[in-house]
Amino acid sequence: MKKQQQHGGAGGCPDTRPPAAAAAAAGGGPGPGGGWRRRRPLSLLPFLSLRDYGFCMAALLLFCLGSLFYQLNGGPPHFLLDLRHYLGNSTYLDDHGPPPQKVLPFPSQVVYNRVGKCGSRTVVLLLRILSEKHGFNLVTSDIHNKTRLTKNEQMELIKNISTAEQPYLFTRHVHFLNFSRFGGDQPVYINIIRDPVNRFLSNYFFRRFGDWRGEQNHMIRTPSMRQEERYLDINVCILENYPECSNPRLFYIIPYFCGQHPRCREPGEWALERAKLNVNENFLLVGILEELEDVLLLLERFLPHYFKDVLSIYKNPEHRKLGNLTVTVKKTVPSPEAIQILYQRMRYEYEFYYYVKEQFHLLKRKFGLKSHIRKPRPRPEFFIPSPLETEEPIDDEEEDDEKWLEDIYKRNKSSLHNTAALTTEMRRQ
């Protein structure tokens, strides 16, 4: 009888109910003590339905995608910024304080108001390489032929320069700008000049025949120039006092340092002295193109966050090969008589040039640099100066060379990269 009770119910029949039902019957039905309970499909999340679980996974996926977007773009998406603005920053700022300010090098505002035909394209090409290497902001301009500005144009340009991301280096063919006059912070200026007669001759033949970059580039630059003007003999131009070879067109370098005042365009003592004053007060360095390597070395010492390693880049054979393309072609030397007349007409330009040269050599001696010039050229003997014209000078036609600089920069960057790869391979071998 005991065995029959273990294996069956009343009447000796086996219990065919499911185990859960049998347990319920044994426990007296559903209830707190012995009642049966339905098990959830996800035992780890006893209070979530499948729909709630799907919503949680979708939210997690969106959060992961947002984090990935943040990291790839260097900042949060706009909708997260808007959300943070809506919720407020007080909690974050109370806990962590304001974010640390970016530490800027000194000086962090540099202006290179480059003088035409004084090595400016070579220096700008170097600056493009250096800005990518050192991470400073190289600011250029789409305007290349306007060196003298109205008051409103000065205010607009100063505003655009001052609002650029720092540290910046702004470069353009433009006469000196007084930022403090319009309430701005005065930047540090740098520049390079050269022997005035050599600069004039380089510009004279460059406008007519271009350089080694292409046989026809001068035709693109000065398409309106008549053939008789293009092939005008330099001696005839000087001796017969053509406008291009006389004042005020020859009064070219000093206005870059004198400034935007109308008297800065009149050849005379006033403009000369004001240019000297600005060199002393606003220019960190004014170099001499004839000693360009020393100029680059001093720039590297004065402004290492802009010009570090500039000399090694300049001396790179690939860079020198590309730089030689900017040499003016078909340049001839005027007669001694014509040269003497140029000296007379450019007496103020030469007085300024020799003043800057003396200041530059003073800096070199202070830093222990010796001049590599074998023998200094004698100063010109001027004739008794005749009255100088003070009419409004005509702009020299400057080349729109930004596109060419961009092309040659890319070629130079590729060449430098190939040279570095070859050097690495040789070291491995």
Side-chain angles (χ1 to χ4, degrees):
M1 292 294 293
K2 291 181 178 179
K3 290 183 178 180
Q4 291 179 356
Q5 290 176 358
Q6 291 175 359
H7 294 282
C13 295
D15 193 349
T16 59
R17 291 176 299 175
W36 59 277
R37 295 183 178 88
R38 187 178 180 182
R39 181 171 292 183
R40 298 277 183 174
L42 298 173
S43 58
L44 295 179
L45 298 172
F47 302 107
L48 293 179
S49 66
L50 286 175
R51 185 178 64 178
D52 295 336
Y53 180 73
F55 283 146
C56 291
M57 295 303 295
L60 180 61
L61 179 62
L62 287 175
F63 176 77
C64 294
L65 290 177
S67 300
L68 180 63
F69 184 82
Y70 181 92
Q71 296 179 28
L72 291 178
N73 292 275
H78 289 295
F79 76 91
L80 289 181
L81 290 175
D82 295 338
L83 180 62
R84 181 174 178 180
H85 178 72
Y86 175 76
L87 296 176
N89 298 325
S90 59
T91 302
Y92 178 86
L93 294 178
D94 291 340
D95 293 342
H96 303 279
Q101 293 184 351
K102 182 180 179 181
V103 179
L104 295 174
F106 180 82
S108 60
Q109 303 173 78
V110 180
V111 173
Y112 171 34
N113 62 323
R114 58 187 194 265
V115 181
K117 304 311 296 175
C118 290
S120 60
R121 283 182 294 168
T122 298
V123 177
V124 171
L125 178 57
L126 290 170
L127 285 172
R128 290 184 180 274
I129 300 172
L130 292 168
S131 65
E132 185 171 303
K133 182 174 182 178
H134 301 315
F136 64 85
N137 184 19
L138 179 62
V139 185
T140 58
S141 174
D142 296 330
I143 303 174
H144 312 287
N145 304 327
K146 194 172 181 61
T147 58
R148 300 187 298 273
L149 310 176
T150 65
K151 183 177 180 179
N152 289 334
E153 289 171 338
Q154 293 179 55
M155 294 174 61
E156 185 67 23
L157 180 57
I158 288 174
K159 178 183 177 182
N160 292 337
I161 298 174
S162 301
T163 55
E165 183 183 356
Q166 299 183 27
Y168 69 75
L169 191 151
F170 174 80
T171 177
R172 173 181 161 178
H173 293 297
V174 64
H175 295 168
F176 174 79
L177 294 166
N178 188 350
F179 281 61
S180 57
R181 178 188 175 195
F182 299 99
D185 295 331
Q186 189 72 6
V188 167
Y189 275 83
I190 59 173
N191 217 323
I192 300 174
I193 65 174
R194 70 190 293 188
D195 180 274
V197 166
N198 287 338
R199 194 217 68 83
F200 162 74
L201 295 177
S202 179
N203 185 68
Y204 183 89
F205 291 103
F206 177 73
R207 292 181 64 244
R208 286 161 170 77
F209 308 113
D211 50 33
W212 289 107
R213 288 173 294 158
E215 186 65 26
Q216 298 298 323
N217 61 0
H218 60 284
M219 301 295 294
I220 300 173
R221 185 176 306 105
T222 53
S224 60
M225 184 178 288
R226 301 188 306 274
Q227 288 297 99
E228 56 269 23
E229 182 183 359
R230 188 178 303 279
Y231 293 97
L232 175 66
D233 184 85
I234 183 69
N235 292 298
V236 174
C237 182
I238 297 170
L239 297 176
E240 296 188 12
N241 204 25
Y242 277 67
E244 186 176 359
C245 300
S246 59
N247 279 310
R249 295 284 294 275
L250 295 177
F251 194 68
Y252 184 85
I253 297 177
I254 288 179
Y256 276 88
F257 300 87
C258 178
Q260 299 290 335
H261 194 283
R263 292 187 65 182
C264 288
R265 305 192 288 271
E266 299 178 3
E269 292 288 341
W270 190 92
L272 171 64
E273 294 304 318
R274 181 158 175 161
K276 290 180 180 179
L277 182 65
N278 280 332
V279 167
N280 294 332
E281 293 184 352
N282 296 292
F283 282 80
L284 178 66
L285 177 69
V286 182
I288 304 297
L289 183 63
E290 292 84 356
E291 304 171 42
L292 181 58
E293 289 192 10
D294 290 338
V295 176
L296 298 178
L297 184 58
L298 286 177
L299 285 173
E300 186 172 356
R301 293 193 180 186
F302 292 161
L303 302 169
H305 44 288
Y306 292 98
F307 289 95
K308 185 179 180 182
D309 300 326
V310 64
L311 201 55
S312 60
I313 297 174
Y314 174 72
K315 289 184 176 180
N316 184 285
E318 293 296 331
H319 183 274
R320 297 296 288 268
K321 187 188 302 181
L322 294 174
N324 289 337
L325 295 175
T326 64
V327 177
T328 304
V329 299
K330 298 185 180 181
K331 189 190 299 185
T332 60
V333 180
S335 65
E337 181 185 2
I339 290 288
Q340 185 63 34
I341 292 177
L342 282 180
Y343 281 153
Q344 173 194 351
R345 294 173 183 170
M346 305 174 79
R347 60 170 300 180
Y348 294 111
E349 294 274 281
Y350 267 100
E351 190 170 340
F352 180 74
Y353 171 74
Y354 283 114
Y355 175 80
V356 169
K357 192 171 184 178
E358 289 173 359
Q359 299 298 314
F360 180 66
H361 287 168
L362 258 174
L363 273 177
K364 287 175 59 176
R365 287 195 295 271
K366 187 178 294 185
F367 283 89
L369 300 179
K370 295 183 179 179
S371 177
H372 298 292
I373 304 299
R374 294 181 181 178
K375 189 176 181 181
R377 292 179 57 183
R379 297 197 180 194
E381 294 293 336
F382 298 109
F383 291 137
I384 299 175
S386 56
L388 298 172
E389 303 175 11
T390 57
E391 63 198 49
E392 183 73 11
I394 304 172
D395 272 333
D396 283 340
E397 296 183 30
E398 296 288 352
E399 180 192 5
D400 184 358
D401 52 11
E402 292 298 327
K403 185 178 184 303
W404 174 82
L405 281 171
E406 189 71 29
D407 295 338
I408 199 172
Y409 162 69
K410 292 177 180 177
R411 291 164 55 191
N412 186 60
K413 181 181 176 183
S414 176
S415 301
L416 291 174
H417 177 74
N418 294 337
T419 303
L422 180 61
T423 304
T424 304
E425 186 66 26
M426 292 176 63
R427 287 177 179 174
R428 289 177 180 174
Q429 296 175 354

